Amino acid sequence: MARFELKLPKMGESVAEATITNWLKEVGDKIEADEAVLEIATDKVDSEVPSEVSGILVEQLFGKDDLVQVGQTIAIIETEDGAFVPIVKEAVAPEGIAEVTKKVNPEASGSNESVATPVDLSSDYSESEKFLSPLVKNIAKEEGVSVAELAAISGTGKEGRVTKNDILEYVKNRTSQPAIAVPVAAVQKSVAVPAAQKAAPVSVSGGDEIIEMDRMRKLIAGYMVASVQTSAHVQSFIEVDVTNIVKWREKNKVAFEKREGEKLTYTPIFMEAVAKAIKDFPGMNISVDGDYIIKKKNINLGMAASLPNGNLIVPVIKNADQLNLVGMAKAVNDLGGRAKAGKLKPDDTQGGTYTVTNVGTFGSVFGTPILNQPQVGILALGAIRKMPAVIETPEGDFIGIRQKMFLSHSYDHRVVDGALGGSFVKRVAEYLEAFDVNRDL
């Protein structure tokens, strides 16, 4: 019988690894060619891994929550017809566990070593030959579970692997007396948390509902906190008259959709103005690496999008300055549509050099967005509203109804001063206000 190795496929130039979030097929299941076998997740995008062949899944080499490198074999599929024979590996006592056993129970090896030999809790758990996923290792580290304790846990995963539920159950039921002879001082030292890092206690009443964050929300939370801790955020605001843009879009949106097969929204018009302003002020198209400033060659605009589940994702329009309005509209609609459908590829969210977020979609007049690291600027587009405004004419000033909006520019004050940050958002406003109401499609 032929055996096919299902490998983690390449998902983009900048994506080197992914986490297995769910197995859609179990050992023994029949698989058709192009049928999804498992679900994986990168930093922001969830996707499926299909089988290249038809056959029977005979082995899963990784478990849920395991981190896998691109190109690694993740499953074995039998491709020829025949009865399924499960693969059973002979259980071999790992050397690492044997060494721990000697320390804990010297009689097992005939040694006279003391039972009280301390176990190094600073270990990264690489001493154990038992397979441990990154998630299990992190939980063990946070809870002060030693290598020897892990070795003693009876895993319920494939081939006895310790799963997330296994270690959480162990921690829950663990008594004050450790499973091995470990000095109390060492345990306290390993799990001690500085008082400044401890979260404030949260009061929970009987009617409150406790919901664990999903994987993406945990990542977003981490990114947001890290961004605020990394950059010195400062904002500049400017009001923009977009009456000409509103009039032009109303006049051309039907013809545009009929000709191009694409809806004409305001977003590509704003993106076009931002790309032009970045060419005028390349100091906004940089990133920071320690004490070094990296000037980006390409202008890749991130477009923040809210997903149906409430999470946020930022697909990227590559080389945005090279697109005309039609090309920009197609790119915006393509990325936005695939984001809502959960069809983005990992590479679609990589390589951004500046980000735009439309807070006006939800009715906000303006906002103060957090930087998308390692970028140094992000622009928030406020809601377009009809406003009374002073209109200057050769015959004098008068009050008229205009379509206006606010632009909120957040930037990294470590490398972008007020002059650059303010001048940049002012240039975006100038491009928008100068929009030709008679412009051809």
Side-chain angles (χ1 to χ4, degrees), residues 368-439:
T368 55
I370 296 174
L371 292 170
N372 187 13
Q373 297 291 337
Q375 299 169 26
V376 300
I378 180 171
L379 185 70
L381 309 172
I384 298 175
R385 303 179 299 157
K386 289 183 179 181
M387 301 287 292
V390 175
I391 301 174
E392 299 178 356
T393 69
E395 291 76 25
D397 299 343
F398 67 93
I399 301 295
I401 302 300
R402 307 293 290 178
Q403 300 275 3
K404 291 198 170 188
M405 66 182 295
F406 281 99
L407 302 180
S408 311
H409 187 212
S410 293
Y411 46 96
D412 190 342
H413 214 343
R414 294 179 302 167
V415 290
V416 179
D417 293 327
L420 174 56
S423 297
F424 170 79
V425 70
K426 185 173 184 294
R427 183 61 53 84
V428 175
E430 290 171 349
Y431 279 127
L432 295 177
E433 291 185 338
F435 191 90
D436 184 2
V437 72
N438 298 312
R439 176 176 176 173

Side-chain angles (χ1 to χ4, degrees), residues 167-280:
I167 190 167
L168 290 178
E169 187 67 20
Y170 173 78
V171 171
K172 178 181 177 181
N173 298 326
R174 183 169 55 171
T175 62
S176 57
Q177 178 64 32
I180 59 172
V182 181
V184 175
V187 176
Q188 292 174 339
K189 180 180 179 181
S190 71
V191 300
V193 178
Q197 296 182 8
K198 290 183 179 179
V202 178
S203 176
V204 180
S205 66
D208 294 341
E209 182 181 4
I210 301 174
I211 303 173
E212 184 180 4
M213 295 182 190
D214 61 25
R215 184 195 63 83
M216 184 176 286
R217 178 50 55 183
K218 290 177 183 178
L219 288 171
I220 292 171
Y223 291 149
M224 295 299 98
V225 172
S227 181
V228 172
Q229 293 175 340
T230 299
S231 298
H233 284 64
V234 68
Q235 287 82 26
S236 292
F237 307 92
I238 191 167
E239 191 175 31
V240 190
D241 188 329
V242 293
T243 305
N244 285 350
I245 292 176
V246 173
K247 289 181 177 179
W248 182 86
R249 177 179 173 273
E250 287 299 317
K251 183 175 67 174
N252 293 286
K253 64 181 182 180
V254 175
F256 185 90
E257 184 173 1
K258 184 177 180 180
R259 189 188 77 182
E260 302 295 339
E262 300 281 349
K263 288 189 177 296
L264 180 61
T265 65
Y266 292 113
T267 302
I269 300 173
F270 296 143
M271 289 293 198
E272 182 184 55
V274 171
K276 289 180 179 179
I278 289 178
K279 293 192 74 171
D280 296 339

Side-chain angles (χ1 to χ4, degrees), residues 30 61 99 114 127 139-140 142 154 183 237 281 354 400 433 441:
K30 184 179 176 66
L61 301 181
E99 285 299 314
S114 171
E127 296 176 13
I139 295 174
E142 292 174 1
S154 179
F237 307 92
F281 294 96
Y354 188 91
E433 291 185 338
L441 281 175

Side-chain angles (χ1 to χ4, degrees), residues 33-192:
D34 296 326
E35 187 177 6
V37 179
L38 69 158
E39 295 175 339
I40 59 172
T42 59
D43 282 352
K44 292 185 178 180
V45 178
D46 295 346
S47 56
E48 297 177 342
V49 177
S51 173
E52 301 174 39
V53 298
S54 297
I56 296 176
L57 180 63
V58 296
E59 191 171 2
Q60 296 174 349
L61 301 181
F62 293 91
K64 185 179 177 180
D65 298 324
D66 287 347
L67 191 65
V68 185
Q69 302 297 313
V70 168
Q72 274 190 294
T73 301
I74 50 181
I76 303 296
I77 299 173
E78 275 190 358
T79 59
E80 293 183 358
D81 293 335
F84 166 64
V85 179
I87 298 176
V88 181
K89 293 186 177 180
E90 181 181 356
V92 179
E95 294 180 3
I97 297 178
E99 285 299 314
V100 173
T101 304
K102 290 179 182 179
K103 292 180 181 180
V104 178
N105 185 12
E107 296 180 359
S109 61
S111 170
N112 291 323
E113 293 180 1
S114 171
V115 176
T117 303
V119 177
D120 183 10
L121 291 181
S122 65
S123 170
D124 62 357
Y125 306 100
S126 59
E127 296 176 13
S128 175
E129 293 295 330
K130 177 180 285 190
F131 181 86
L132 301 174
S133 70
L135 179 62
V136 170
K137 291 180 182 179
N138 288 337
I139 295 174
K141 184 176 181 180
E142 292 174 1
E143 299 293 340
V145 179
S146 69
V147 176
E149 286 181 279
L150 282 172
I153 297 175
S154 179
T156 61
K158 181 177 175 59
E159 298 179 2
R161 292 173 180 170
V162 177
T163 67
K164 171 186 173 182
N165 291 335
D166 292 334
I167 190 167
L168 290 178
E169 187 67 20
Y170 173 78
V171 171
K172 178 181 177 181
N173 298 326
R174 183 169 55 171
T175 62
S176 57
Q177 178 64 32
I180 59 172
V182 181
V184 175
V187 176
Q188 292 174 339
K189 180 180 179 181
S190 71
V191 300

